[in-house]
């Protein structure tokens, strides 16, 4: 029964799937349920889009003359959904996890053999490509962008990959002809990883990685001081050598650190305090147990909704620990716990087979008591706020970017479907749902 | 001078940043119920053993004696027939951390195990159940100069900050002999990838000497900078170097060196090298051939923290003898016995039996043997003002045994840290039953969920 | 004190008859029966002649006054690498890893080095006999495990000029490593544990188990062929060595740490109709009753090993012996290595702290091992007719602080000095 409906719809969608090029610049959706997120939900309202921005929203708003009017009966309009951590539009990481960018030459100019680079200390800037910006290497033709949009996402924060300091993420809108059009903010946050194994030589342990970060930050501060002194009065002073790795650190508005378990969350909270930049912890399955520490540290969290699951083909003699089982049971309660504690948080579809699976995964939390409005908030304004772009994105308010997700029914209902999305005021229809990807196969 | 101070403060700030407990101890200590443990055989370590009582107020030992007054409102524990010893101190362990070695470089003093403390590692509980209340958690022995240590109290249930014994002076790990030279030897065995200087004991000495020469130069750089600043010159401060800062602290006597060592030659080498740079080695760790150079160790003033009876597991351990602890002690060295445990915390469950071996091999007295796992390691770690014996004013870190603490037949029954009960065998039994029940519940729930989900799964 | 004991022993030596003497006024712990206060042990020609509270002094033998001392049978380390592994990290010093999957013909006895430093060190703590493994087993200290059949464990006295003099029996048991389902395999090259999917690991086990069963089948065919025409059959040393196993005379010693491995071993024993001993049992779980019911003896490794599973009680390794004993399983302790072999009595002693009855603990380091290996007629207790393998102590030998004052192997006094005491004395005397 359900499958039949789906396939009919798929055909319809295929017919409807169109580029957004023809969207008129003035659009009104009327008689729709409008979830503004920033204010009250309008049971029957109108939202007017003009020139890629939201012009008006309200219950008694009349569509302006000349507007393309869409009948919103049976539809719910949300601010465009935001995936707070993705790699959409970014090149695939090179095999072996080593950064693709060229390594920094050794400071003493020692001859390096052609053999694999080995780092001998923090000075070699291991696993660091802090100069890389997701915004600079954005590929608008990446098919993952279409898939995400079809799942109702209008915005993502996309990051380059790397072993330790990967580079700067960008807030991007998931529509547009060129990278330049898509970028909402090019410096969303600096992605840091703890993958010592991706580096040859130093560091090869977690504590080495943390020590490296600490030294790198000191070096950056020293570099800045040197530059300031020089800029003020260059005469008679040695010119500080330009260092793109340190420039990248200084540019960062915030840092994004991985942390899944409580121990990791608390550890990264401590590190974040030392780095003296606003920090976002991502992963956070165990955050329901760490709310006090997160709250105290004033951190934001990106919850990975690929909930821990029992490994397939597990040896029945392997006794999974209570802690493993408990985390598996309780991880989906983390969003509710974060909401209750007042910790800013958002979601990522990282690790899921397809972007649309994110909604189903969040639904699991909702079934366990997480409030729908909190879920919607985390997927829209909450995510925007974490990255400091809530003044332009995340809610349906006059003046904001016209990113809208229009759902037939309501988000998280079992029969809900993405009807259309607006990105920068341009309307996109969802592509037909592709056949379910096989496990482990990346959906690109 | 002022800037010099500022620099030191900065160094300290870094050290503290890594070690500062987030939950203050006072918070927990403030409203604790006073305690009276009575009718026990009390091994004070400093003042012999007798049958009597211990009173505890505000997490500290208030009084010890044959007849003492119970503090007002005290919880009374009748320990008749039982023995009480100070919480044991393990001077060398690697429990409670998620990384042990930063083995990529021969000097890894920029790293600190304090950064990777895992307060939920079960090893903490195992150690606690074995009566160990304090552990010197050290970096591994892959490098001539290793990372920074952290001294933890086994306050099971607290977060990483809550485990830290804030009173303990900072330390650093050194390592001599086979372990630090292993990576340098790798190439001889055909592996080109990981070859790293040093590959010999001579190289180990060279690495340490060079590091301290660098540290001196670094210290000088800062001094010159301060002088220039004092003269009002607008100069750039030197780049801060986290690898060298701890070594400057060693040179200034502000950081304890805990040096993993086996053979007599390398032990002597390090003592002389330290003397060359005018600092003292706090402890020689393992120090299996220490008995051969006991005189020199005693003269230098280093402590020795050794194994009970380990030997023959590698070439440099082939002259190890179980009399090492007794003989070093006899020759005037301050001796402790350590576990070197990793996350399994195997020996920490029974460190008392390791101490008993010092009685067997070399005839140390019972009290002196117990001191090797209590007061002596406390002295070696510079925390004997607070822990290591049962004396008024010290932390109420106490272990109640059901019998003679040096007997193989005795079991730890209760453990207190800062006057708070952290382990109790009866409670442990109860917690086991609870855990079993909860685990069963979770497994059943998961099975049920699975069954419910299966029919709804989309065919693929 | 120990020097005194040695002098005493030396004095005995010079008295002519080395291996005949009387210990009197001692507390005698025969292990086979209740302790005897103020009792005597008479040793004649290396064997125990008489034990009792009122023994007549015979004119010809030396008398040792045992006032204040205790006499126990020498202890037995049921499975060890003492004698064949000197420095565990140096491959050349350890003969514990042969090439090939099936080596039943190997006997550890002939590779035991009587000059091994481990021998005096181990026996100084009261251990007079050991079962020397032919290949390292997991839970012990060895280099990987290549062979399925590693060879024969030899039971050796810890005294003798040659391995021949030391040998009690060349073949005490046959070491068999049954292929298990290894989903977590340690790769010694990378020093990392790699995870294998369960189904793949099970397939691998089936393949390997087939190899083992095929070998047993081949041995059986050889057995039949030999019975049919012994003259024409070409001798195959491997199958020849398997004959006592197939005849049920020689037990298989099978490492089995966890429930599944134990059940696999029990099933194998049933299918192949062979006698087995389990070694290195660590988490028997629900298989305990089955082990007891089938009367399979268990050789336990050290309780001084880390807890295996996160949710296990902190004392799980300490209570294991008591759990097995309570269920009625016969247990013997073993070091499974060399460096800590001298701590054998403490393995038993610490198990007493966690529920093992004292008498059972004492048996687990003496008589039980002898019974398991079928040599209880010769060693394991103080009974007339057995070898005079005796230790004289100043107290309970399971207690750490107790000193072994004298030792006799086959009635001969044994030097309790070792590399360790020599170095101790040498450096103690350093000015």
């Amino acid at each position: 029964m359900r499958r039949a409906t789906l396939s009919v719809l798929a055909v319809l969608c295929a017919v409807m799937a169109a580029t957004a090029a023809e969207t008129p610049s003035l659009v009104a959706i009327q008689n729709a349920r409008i979830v503004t997120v920033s204010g009250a939900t309008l049971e029957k309202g109108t939202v007017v889009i003009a020139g890629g921005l939201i012009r008006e929203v309200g219950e008694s708003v009349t569509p302006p003359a000349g507007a393309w009017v869409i009948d919103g009966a049976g539809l719910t309009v949300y601010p465009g959904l935001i995936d707070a951590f993705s790699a959409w539009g970014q090149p695939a990481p090179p095999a072996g996890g080593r950064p693709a960018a060229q390594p920094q030459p050794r400071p003493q100019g020692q001859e390096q053999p052609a053999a694999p680079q080995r780092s001998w200390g923090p000075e070699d800037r291991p696993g660091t490509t802090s100069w890389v910006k997701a915004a600079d290497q954005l590929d608008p033709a990446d098919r993952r962008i279409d898939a995400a949009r079809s799942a109702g996402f209008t915005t993502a924060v996309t990051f380059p990959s790397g072993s330790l300091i990967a580079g700067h993420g960008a807030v991007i809108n998931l529509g547009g002809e060129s990278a330049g059009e898509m970028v909402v903010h090019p410096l969303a946050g600096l992605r840091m990883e703890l993958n010592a194994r991706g580096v040859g030589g130093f560091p090869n342990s977690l504590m080495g990685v943390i020590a490296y970060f600490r030294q790198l930050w000191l070096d950056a501060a020293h570099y800045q001081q040197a530059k300031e002194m020089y800029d003020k009065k260059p005469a008679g002073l040695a010119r500080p050598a330009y260092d793109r790795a340190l420039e990248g650190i200084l540019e960062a508005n915030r840092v994004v650190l991985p942390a899944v378990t409580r121990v990791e969350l608390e550890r990264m909270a401590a590190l974040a305090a030392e780095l003296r930049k606003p920090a976002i912890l991502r992963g956070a399955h165990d955050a329901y147990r760490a709310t006090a520490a997160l709250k105290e540290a004033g951190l934001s969290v990106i919850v990975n909704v690929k909930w821990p699951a029992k490994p397939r083909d597990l040896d029945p003699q392997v006794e999974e620990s209570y802690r493993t089982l408990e985390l598996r049971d309780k991880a989906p309660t983390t969003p509710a716990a974060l909401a209750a504690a007042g910790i800013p948080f958002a979601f990522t579809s990282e690790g899921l087979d397809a972007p649309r699976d994110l909604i189903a995964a969040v639904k699991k939390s909702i079934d366990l008591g997480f409030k729908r409005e909190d879920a919607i908030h985390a997927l829209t304004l909450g995510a925007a706020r974490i990255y400091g772009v809530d003044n332009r994105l995340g809610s349906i308010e006059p003046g904001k970017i016209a990113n809208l997700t229009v759902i037939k029914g309501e988000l998280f209902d079992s029969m809900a479907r993405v009807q259309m999305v607006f990105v920068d005021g341009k309307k996109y229809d969802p592509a037909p749902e592709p056949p379910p990807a096989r496990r482990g196969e990346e959906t690109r | 001078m002022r800037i010099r101070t500022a620099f030191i403060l900065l160094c300290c700030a870094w050290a503290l940043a890594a070690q500062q407990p987030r939950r203050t101890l006072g918070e927990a200590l403030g409203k604790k119920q006073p305690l009276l443990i009575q009718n026990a055989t009390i091994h004070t370590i400093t003042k012999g053993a007798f049958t009597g009582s211990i009173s505890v107020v505000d997490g500290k030992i208030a009084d010890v004696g044959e007849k003492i007054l119970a503090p007002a409102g005290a919880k009374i524990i009748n320990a008749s027939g039982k023995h009480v010893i100070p919480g044991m101190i393990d001077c060398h362990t690697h429990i409670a951390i998620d990384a042990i070695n930063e083995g990529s470089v021969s000097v890894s003093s920029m790293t600190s195990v304090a950064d990777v403390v895992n307060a939920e590692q079960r090893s903490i509980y195992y150690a606690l159940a074995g009566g160990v209340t304090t552990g010197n958690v050290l970096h591994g022995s892959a490098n001539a100069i290793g990372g920074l240590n952290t001294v933890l109290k086994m306050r099971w249930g607290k977060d990483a900050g809550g485990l830290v014994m804030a009173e303990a002076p900072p330390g650093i790990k050194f390592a001599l002999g086979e372990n630090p030279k292993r990576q340098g030897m790798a190439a001889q065995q055909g592996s080109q990838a990981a070859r790293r200087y040093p590959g010999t004991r001579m190289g180990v000495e060279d690495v340490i000497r060079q590091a301290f020469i660098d540290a001196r130069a670094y210290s000088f750089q800062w001094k010159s900078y301060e002088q220039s600043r004092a003269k009002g010159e607008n100069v750039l401060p030197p780049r801060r170097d986290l690898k060298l800062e701890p070594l400057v602290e060693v040179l200034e006597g502000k950081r304890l060196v805990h040096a993993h060592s086996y053979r007599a030659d390398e032990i002597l080498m390090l003592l002389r090298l330290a003397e060359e740079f005018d600092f003292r080695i706090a402890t020689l760790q393992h120090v299996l051939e220490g008995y051969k150079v006991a005189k020199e160790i005693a003269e230098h003033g280093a402590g020795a923290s050794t194994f009970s009876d380990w030997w023959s597991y590698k070439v440099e351990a082939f002259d190890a003898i179980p009399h090492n602890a007794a003989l070093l002690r006899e020759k005037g060295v301050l001796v402790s016995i350590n576990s070197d445990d990793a996350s399994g915390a195997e020996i920490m469950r029974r460190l008392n039996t390791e101490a008993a071996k010092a009685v067997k091999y070399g005839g140390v007295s019972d009290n002196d043997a117990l001191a090797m796992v209590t007061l002596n390691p406390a002295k070696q770690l510079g925390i004997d003002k607070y822990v290591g014996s049962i004396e008024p004013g010290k932390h109420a870190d106490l272990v109640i045994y059901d019998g003679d603490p040096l007997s193989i037949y005795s079991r730890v029954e209760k453990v207190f840290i800062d006057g708070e009960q952290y382990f109790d065998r009866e409670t442990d039994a109860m917690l086991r039953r609870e855990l079993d029940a909860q685990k069963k519940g979770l497994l059943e729930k998961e099975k049920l969920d699975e069954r419910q989900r299966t029919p709804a799964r989309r065919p693929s | 004190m120990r020097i005194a004991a040695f002098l005493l022993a030396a004095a005995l030596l010079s008295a002519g008859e080395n291996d005949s003497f009387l210990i009197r006024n001692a507390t005698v712990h025969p292990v086979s029966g209740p302790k005897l206060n103020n009792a005597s042990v008479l040793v004649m020609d290396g064997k125990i002649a008489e034990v009792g509270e009122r023994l007549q002094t015979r004119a010809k033998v030396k008398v040792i006054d045992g006032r204040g001392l205790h006499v126990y049978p020498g202890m037995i380390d049921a499975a060890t690498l003492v004698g064949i592994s000197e420095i565990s990290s140096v491959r050349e010093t350890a003969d514990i890893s042969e090439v090939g999957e099936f080596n039943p013909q190997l006997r550890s006895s002939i590779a035991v080095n009587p000059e091994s430093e481990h021998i005096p060190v181990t026996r100084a703590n009261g251990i007079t006999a050991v079962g020397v493994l032919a290949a390292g087993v997991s839970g012990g200290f060895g280099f990987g495990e290549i062979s399925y059949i590693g060879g024969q464990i030899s039971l050796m006295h810890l005294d003798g000029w040659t391995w021949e003099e030391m040998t009690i029996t060349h073949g005490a048991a046959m070491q068999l490593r049954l292929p298990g389902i290894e989903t977590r395999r340690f790769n010694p090259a990378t020093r990392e544990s790699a995870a294998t999917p369960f189904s793949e690991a099970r397939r691998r086990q089936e393949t390997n188990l087939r190899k083992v069963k095929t070998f047993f089948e081949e041995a059986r065919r050889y057995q039949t062929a030999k019975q049919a025409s012994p003259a024409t059959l070409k001798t195959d040393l491997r199958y020849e060595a398997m004959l006592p196993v197939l005849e049920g005379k020689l037990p298989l010693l099978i490492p089995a740490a966890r429930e599944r491995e134990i059940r696999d071993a029990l099933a194998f024993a049933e299918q192949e109709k062979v006698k087995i001993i389990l070694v290195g049992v660590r988490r028997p779980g629900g298989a305990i009753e089955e082990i007891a019911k089938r009367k399979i003896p268990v050789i336990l490794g050290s309780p001084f090993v880390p807890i295996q599973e996160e949710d296990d009680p902190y004392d799980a390794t300490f209570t294991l012996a008591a759990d097995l004993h309570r269920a009625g399983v016969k247990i013997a302790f073993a070091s499974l290595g060399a460096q800590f072999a001298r701590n054998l009595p403490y393995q038993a002693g610490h198990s007493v702290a966690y529920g093992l009855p004292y008498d059972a603990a004492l048996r687990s380091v003496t008589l039980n091992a002898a019974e398991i290996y079928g040599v209880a007629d010769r060693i394991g207790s103080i009974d007339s007719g057995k070898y005079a393998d005796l230790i004289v102590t100043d107290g309970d030998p399971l207690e750490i602080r107790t000193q072994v004052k004298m030792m006799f192997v086959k009635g001969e006094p044994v030097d309790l000095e070792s590399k360790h005491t020599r170095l101790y004395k040498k450096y103690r005397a350093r000015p």
Side-chain angles (χ1 to χ4, degrees), chain B residues 143-319:
Chain B
N143 343 60
I145 295 181
L148 313 184
N149 73 332
T150 183
V151 177
L152 300 182
K153 279 209 181 183
M154 304 301 145
R155 300 185 190 107
W156 179 242
K158 299 263 195 286
D159 64 11
L163 298 182
V164 172
M165 183 175 180
E167 299 90 340
I172 185 170
K173 177 76 174 286
F174 282 20
L176 314 175
E178 288 182 25
N179 293 9
K181 70 177 182 142
R182 188 167 293 145
Q183 286 203 26
M185 291 160 62
Q188 293 161 9
Q189 290 154 11
S191 153
Q192 285 299 315
R195 187 150 199 212
R196 184 199 88 188
Y197 186 84
T200 63
R201 284 187 168 76
M202 299 86 87
V204 172
E205 185 204 28
D206 175 51
V207 164
I208 299 173
R209 178 177 284 114
Q210 185 64 56
F212 279 102
I213 286 171
D214 293 349
R216 264 187 186 167
Y218 177 69
S219 178
F220 180 76
Q221 266 189 321
W222 277 95
K223 280 178 191 140
S224 319
Y225 163 72
E226 283 151 20
Q227 282 162 5
S228 308
R229 283 281 304 225
K231 281 184 248 158
E233 289 171 35
N234 184 25
V235 283
L236 184 69
R239 167 186 179 262
R240 285 196 48 202
D241 190 326
L242 294 179
K243 182 170 87 174
L244 296 177
E245 283 180 10
L247 303 183
V248 173
E249 291 169 7
V250 168
L251 289 171
E252 291 170 350
K254 291 174 189 147
R255 186 174 282 279
L256 304 178
V257 175
H258 304 292
H260 161 116
S261 54
Y262 275 71
R263 265 180 23 190
D265 49 86
E266 67 200 22
I267 293 165
L268 194 55
M269 173 280 284
L270 185 66
L271 299 182
R272 297 301 175 245
L273 187 59
E275 284 157 12
E276 185 182 317
F277 285 93
D278 205 22
F279 68 89
R280 191 175 66 82
I281 302 294
T283 66
L284 292 157
Q285 295 285 337
H286 312 328
V287 61
L288 293 185
E289 287 188 18
Y291 68 93
K292 295 182 179 175
V293 283
K295 188 170 75 173
E296 287 79 0
I297 297 172
E299 280 165 7
H300 177 89
S305 180
T306 187
F307 297 135
S308 57
D309 58 357
W310 303 22
W311 75 295
S312 80
Y313 47 96
K314 48 183 175 173
V315 174
E316 63 185 4
F318 203 52
D319 269 8

Side-chain angles (χ1 to χ4, degrees), chain B residues 87-107:
Chain B
M88 285 184 278
I89 299 167
D90 188 342
C91 199
H92 188 132
T93 180
H94 306 288
I95 65 162
I97 45 177
D98 283 341
I100 293 179
N101 269 303
E102 173 57 49
S104 61
V105 284
S106 52
V107 179

